[in-house]
Amino acid sequence: MNLTEIKDPRFLKSMSTEQLIQLSADIRQFLIEKLSKTGGHIGPNLGVVELTIALHKVFDSPKDKLLWDVGHQSYVHKILTGRAGEFNTLRQYKGLCGFPKRSESEHDVWETGHSSTSLSAAMGMAIARDLKGTNEYIVPIIGDGALTGGMALEALNHIGHEKKDMIVVLNDNEMSIAPNVGALHNVLGRLRTAGKYQWVKDELEMLLKKIPAVGGKLAATAERIKDSLKYLLVSGVFFEELGFTYLGPVNGHDFDDLFENLHYAKKIKGPVLLHVITKKGKGYHPAENDKVGTWHGTGPYKIETGDFLKPVDQAPSWSELVSETVRKLARTDSRIVAITPAMPVGSKLEGFASEFPDRMYDVGIAEQHATTLAAGLATQGMKPFLAIYSTFLQRAYDQVVHDVCRQNLNVFFAIDRAGLVGADGETHQGVFDIAFLRHVPNLVLMMPKDENEGQHMVYTAIQYDDGPIALRFPRGNGLGVKMDAELRTIPIGTWEVLREGRDIAILTFGTTIPMALEAAEKLAKENVSVKVVNARFIKPMDEAMLHELFESNMPLLTIEEAALQGGFGSAVLEFAHDHGYHQTVIQRMGIPDRFIEHGSVKELLQEIGLTTVHVVDRVKTMIPRKQKRA
């Protein structure tokens, strides 16, 4: 079948099971071929081909609402809703988004990117439906990993209490990104082997109804038998106690099984949880046999071998640099305990986990718990190292403020993916952490110019014992600079001058340092002398150097790959205001007040005007002609 000819899912209604099986094979081949060129979330999507087809055959989207939790598994949904022809642009600049996008299609009713949000949104839609008196089905699809998130459990509790009509599809592949952890995961493991509980329970109830009632005693005994059977089968008791009707487990790759259970679920009043077992990566050997999450999301790869297409002789990744430096320090510092909210692979903690299994905790998709767990460790003199992505730290904001910083606890936050990340788009661009952390008392916030300074900042963070400290670092690889053999501390709140100059000073840090230095070099050829300062401590700032700069009366330009509102540049403006430096010209460059969509980092920087050329042009507007040297 030519998938690019699909306009909407209605064609599925007339297809036989045999035709759907062939369609599934066509979709898998299409995904394997397209994603080998663009990269993307190959494993999750190969696992939900039959499930997605079945959902669109049984329900009527967009009238019926399909909500994809996290959303990385929505590629099949995009194909069936008429977007196969755009897959050459998947996750590319101005191309097809890798997550559901309301502006892309009327079938994308809920935008995602982060985990565990679908059930709360579905509950809101169900309440709106009932208030408006309409009759559409609300069907959130959530993975077993996302179900461990606290927000999902809060929503389950509310949905079960209100008894709203809703069909929750639990896509259980035993993995989220890395293998799932936790007690709820173990409950699901028992459910997978329990058989079809609902059918047995229904048959038992029919049998009990045929027994003549001999007073209330036998009736009460019958109820106890039913209740005991529920526990005996180790089946849907967890969800039934929350107020759901549990169906399953269902083979997520068997159309007959899926159709039978989906149609049955549509007839049940109140909330239903349909437990579907799928195989992540199904149909592509390297992805199907992945046990650690390597094939969750990838770059381009060779279809024949599964080898990833990566540049040769790359410098180590920033995640690896930070985690491996902590691992080295942990050999002589027994206080160090590593924590990750379900990202041991992305944060490159496999080595630490292997060497120190009793000091490594993957808490699952539970950022709030991870942060307060770190706080608790810190109260007992331990040195918690919390490896967390910038956008995932957003989910633990109250814990950062209330539990860590308010108590001035010695937690080391390693903020990964700080700055623009590219292809994953607006839900993953790590551009807000400076703005939401800078104003929190007691916190130290820093970012290195290269990996050598990065390893020294890791050492500084481990040695620091006066409160919380955060190191932000970008996605991707280091610059390949020479690494010092001996680690040293960097004095807190100190900056360094990387290039002397007399006409203007650029204050910047991290990924924009090379941009500033290159601009300074270009401007030097036009007789403009630019001072470049590595403002590596965003908080506290180097106040001695700031006083010196302001007293020189040079114009100042701040540059940051982060949100301008409340960012580093704002901190410099606040300093100028508070100390009466009202004459100095100060301008800021950074991320404007909007969400930045997907594309390569280079393309995105060009779009927002944050490149060497833009810096050169801005500096020229700030330097009066009379100040230019002959």
Side-chain angles (χ1 to χ4, degrees), residues 360-436:
M360 162 71 188
Y361 290 89
D362 178 358
V363 301
I365 302 173
E367 294 86 359
Q368 294 176 317
H369 169 59
T371 304
T372 302
L373 169 65
L377 280 163
T379 66
Q380 302 305 303
M382 304 302 285
K383 188 72 185 187
F385 160 64
L386 175 54
I388 188 167
Y389 290 10
S390 171
T391 52
F392 296 164
L393 185 60
Q394 293 166 185
R395 315 189 82 184
Y397 187 64
D398 183 58
Q399 288 67 34
V400 171
V401 175
H402 182 272
D403 298 336
V404 178
C405 294
R406 188 181 58 83
Q407 299 187 82
N408 200 34
L409 294 173
N410 197 206
V411 174
F412 173 21
F413 294 96
I415 305 176
D416 201 343
R417 272 67 166 176
L420 296 171
V421 299
D424 280 335
E426 57 198 305
T427 58
H428 286 64
Q429 312 283 19
V431 299
F432 300 115
D433 57 88
I434 293 176
F436 72 68

Side-chain angles (χ1 to χ4, degrees), residues 127-285:
I127 291 171
R129 174 200 60 201
D130 294 350
L131 289 173
K132 292 189 295 183
T134 54
N135 62 356
E136 65 269 21
Y137 290 96
I138 310 294
V139 188
I141 303 98
I142 185 168
D144 51 318
L147 194 66
T148 66
M151 186 175 175
L153 298 177
E154 292 169 16
L156 280 177
N157 184 52
H158 186 213
I159 294 165
H161 174 73
E162 296 287 345
K163 303 294 185 188
K164 291 293 181 184
D165 290 342
M166 183 187 303
I167 300 170
V168 176
V169 177
L170 172 58
N171 172 37
D172 183 359
N173 59 26
E174 304 184 59
M175 296 179 74
S176 47
I177 295 176
N180 290 321
V181 297
L184 183 55
H185 170 65
N186 295 333
V187 168
L188 294 174
R190 292 196 295 274
L191 284 173
R192 293 181 198 109
T193 60
K196 289 187 178 178
Y197 159 65
Q198 185 64 35
W199 308 131
V200 178
K201 192 180 87 166
D202 287 351
E203 288 176 14
L204 179 71
E205 287 186 15
M206 290 180 63
L207 176 64
L208 291 172
K209 286 176 183 176
K210 293 178 181 178
I211 300 174
V214 183
K217 187 174 181 181
L218 183 56
T221 302
E223 286 301 315
R224 285 200 299 272
I225 292 172
K226 282 166 52 182
D227 200 44
S228 298
L229 178 72
K230 186 189 294 184
Y231 287 89
L232 178 65
L233 289 176
V234 198
S235 193
V237 60
F238 175 81
F239 300 106
E240 296 252 342
E241 293 297 341
L242 283 171
F244 284 74
T245 298
Y246 172 84
L247 300 179
V250 175
N251 182 348
H253 304 294
D254 184 312
F255 281 116
D256 291 338
D257 207 5
L258 285 166
F259 293 147
E260 180 182 10
N261 282 274
L262 286 169
H263 284 297
Y264 186 73
K266 289 175 75 173
K267 298 175 184 177
I268 297 174
K269 290 295 294 178
V272 177
L273 188 130
L274 178 62
H275 186 180
V276 179
I277 309 297
T278 60
K279 179 67 176 177
K280 199 170 186 177
K282 184 173 177 60
Y284 184 51
H285 184 75

Side-chain angles (χ1 to χ4, degrees), residues 442-456:
N442 297 330
L443 182 70
V444 172
L445 182 59
M446 55 188 177
M447 187 173 193
K449 68 179 185 291
D450 56 37
E451 59 267 43
N452 187 47
E453 187 169 68
Q455 68 169 347
H456 295 313

Side-chain angles (χ1 to χ4, degrees), residues 601-616:
V601 172
K602 183 177 180 180
E603 289 168 327
L604 298 176
L605 289 173
Q606 178 66 40
E607 178 188 289
I608 63 178
L610 200 58
T611 68
T612 298
V613 171
H614 289 99
V615 172
V616 169

